[in-house]
Amino acid sequence: MSENNNVPEYFGSMVFGETAMKERLPKDVYKSLKKTIKEGTPLDQHIANVVANAMKDWALSKGATHFTHWFQPMTGITAEKHDSFISPCQDGTVIMEFSGKELVKGEPDASSFPSGGLRATFEARGYTAWDPTSYAFIKDGSLCIPTAFCSYTGQVLDKKTPLLRSMDTISNQACRILKLFGKECKRVTTTVGSEQEYFLIDKQDYKKRKDLIFTGRTLFGAKPPKGQELDDHYFGSIRPRVMAFMRELDEELWKLGILTKTKHNEVAPCQHEMAPIFTTTNIATDQNQLTMEMMKKVADRHNLVCLLHEKPFEYVNGSGKHNNWSLSTNTGENLLEPGSTPSSNAQFLLFLTAVIKGVDEYQDLLRISVASAGNDHRLGANEAPPAIVSMFVGDELSAILDSIEAGTDYTDVKKTMMSVGVSTLPRIPKDNTDRNRTSPFAFTGNKFEFRMLGSTFNIACTNVMLNTIVAEELCQFADELEKAEDFDTALMMLIQREIKAHKRIIFNGNGYDQKWVEEAEKRGLMNLKTTPDALPHYTDDKNLKLFTKHKIYTEIEIASRKEILLEEYSKTINIEALTMLDMLKKDIIPACIAYNKKIVDAAIAKKEIGISADLEIEQAEQLSEKTALLCQRQQALEKALNNVPDLEQGEAAAKYFGNVVIEKMEQTRAVADELEMMIAQNDWPMPTYGKILYYV
């Protein structure tokens, strides 16, 4: 960790951002690059060459020797292939070169990345294309250039390309709406702040747990005497070892220009959270991927391991990632800010209505965007929102919407009567009601907080969904309002109609209550409890039409994503089941037999000297019975795995894993956890929850 405490001095020092560009690029080149970043205009080859040379010189000055096109394939993590700047000379020496062609385009092997049937394994060629809207940075001695990734035939193989497309789409449609309000706007940008939860555990404990190593979560573990019942970890004093990690993490992220702002202990023992300041969505996505990578690297330097799985430990809360989403114009106006003037209120209500309609009509897509084997353990478990998508807008905003729908006067909290006419809409207060932590999609003053994401997730998919569904509703609204002879009247009629049609999605109550599940069913809301329940809806007709209309995906690209996610789910459960069997056969069952032998030997020794061994005999019998039952459960799990459908039967395989294999795993774990409680700690083959969660 650096001794330099002057944060402004080193903030962004490893990023080829505004400061570096201004210092190293000619003015005309800088202006041309900025125009590309702001307006998406093409960058000609001459400009690219100048930028590449300046980037290379800057990177060399920072100690970099290589460059890489840094991209986000469908694995959910990042990928990189490193090439050195070295170029040979005829006299046997070398020079350091980097061309505009190398900056703009790369050609990594694409054969081993998930493609969902878009390409055959033997078709290796793939391309990466520079995304100039996201700044290059230095990591591990290499210049990392954020890029999009596609196949030889141009099909999208990554998460960034659809995100950039969705950002363009929502910008175009939002600008159409703003023009109706008399505002000329060049671009509307979605912004995101992604809160990140994680666990830190001791590295030595981690190394002794095969389940953590292979799957990221514990497959066995009895409930410890203390969990999170006392709420004493939440916002509690941070232990020195963890604080040292957090300090170094902050410094490393600040060097990369990541605006990490908040850090604290979370609810569960060993659980923590960091939150950054809002930034443009594609940059926020890149930065969250970097944050997760850096968390693991910094933890390792502190003899810790960072766990990002959604549910690494049973009996305590899992980890999520809150996606705080908003809309801003190039002039700095937040379109989800209620505002204090009538015209702003009308504009705000139209954008709010678009979000409400979009969330209601595309509940399935939002659920799909957070679907994974890991997140299924967390959603609806009284620690995260339920799997039912709904919106929280607060009591006062709900009352305003009700009054608009009914065409009646709205009475504010001060009992002042105000007309609902467009020109005299009331001022809508910010933060006028408490936050609802059980809501999947909550309005929090001037943004929406989508709370369903799992902690491991790449946030790109969620924001592709959000951007596209809201863009679709804005497109429909613009089509209607642009034809209206009386804009004000047409606007109010539209808002009234859509609020009435989609108010079922608004719920301000307790999402954990079973009564809400029943109420949601009455309202006709979807309850897609598991990933196999959700993913088949990806290719529903309305969703295919949505994505193809806005050119986010082709139909084949949507089908490929569904296939990739189904296969990922099945493979994840399969790996967990195989790991469980490995631990049972090689560690847990042998430990149970060995411990039972100790008990039997003790009983024999006591009998030989004439002492009653009833206690030992009883314990040995119980251990023997439980061990035999565990062996039966192990065999049942093996049998279930032997009957798994071929993974190419995507939906069938996923449902089998979700319904059959997981059930067998849970039954097996229950017996193993009982045995853990019967065996001395020193004879149990792995660190227990009590040891892992309460390290010093």
Side-chain angles (χ1 to χ4, degrees), residues 504-552:
R504 65 173 185 168
I505 200 71
I506 297 174
F507 176 66
N508 295 331
N510 180 8
Y512 294 158
D513 195 327
Q514 179 59 31
K515 291 180 181 178
W516 164 235
V517 177
E518 298 165 5
E519 171 64 22
E521 185 176 358
K522 291 178 183 177
R523 294 187 185 191
L525 301 182
M526 305 177 82
N527 187 1
L528 304 172
K529 295 179 181 179
T530 68
T531 295
D533 293 335
L535 290 179
H537 291 282
Y538 214 148
T539 50
D540 284 356
D541 187 56
K542 70 178 179 64
N543 297 334
L544 292 175
K545 289 179 178 177
L546 172 76
F547 289 124
T548 55
K549 172 183 176 180
H550 295 285
K551 295 181 172 56
I552 308 299

Side-chain angles (χ1 to χ4, degrees), residues 37 72 129-134 146-149 156 158-172 187-188 190 280-283 285-286 460-461 463-464 467-468 550-553:
I37 292 171
Q72 299 171 36
W130 177 37
D131 170 21
T133 64
S134 189
T147 56
F149 179 50
V156 175
D158 71 338
K159 292 179 178 285
K160 166 159 280 205
T161 305
L163 180 63
L164 294 173
R165 290 174 178 174
S166 73
M167 292 175 68
D168 285 343
T169 297
I170 195 170
S171 176
N172 293 338
R187 188 164 183 83
V188 170
T190 57
T280 308
T281 302
N282 68 308
I283 295 176
T285 301
D286 288 356
C461 182
N463 287 290
V464 168
N467 293 347
T468 308
H550 295 285
K551 295 181 172 56
I552 308 299
Y553 302 116

Side-chain angles (χ1 to χ4, degrees), residues 47-60:
I47 297 295
N49 284 331
V50 176
V51 173
N53 191 60
M55 263 192 200
K56 180 258 299 179
D57 289 343
W58 171 80
L60 292 174

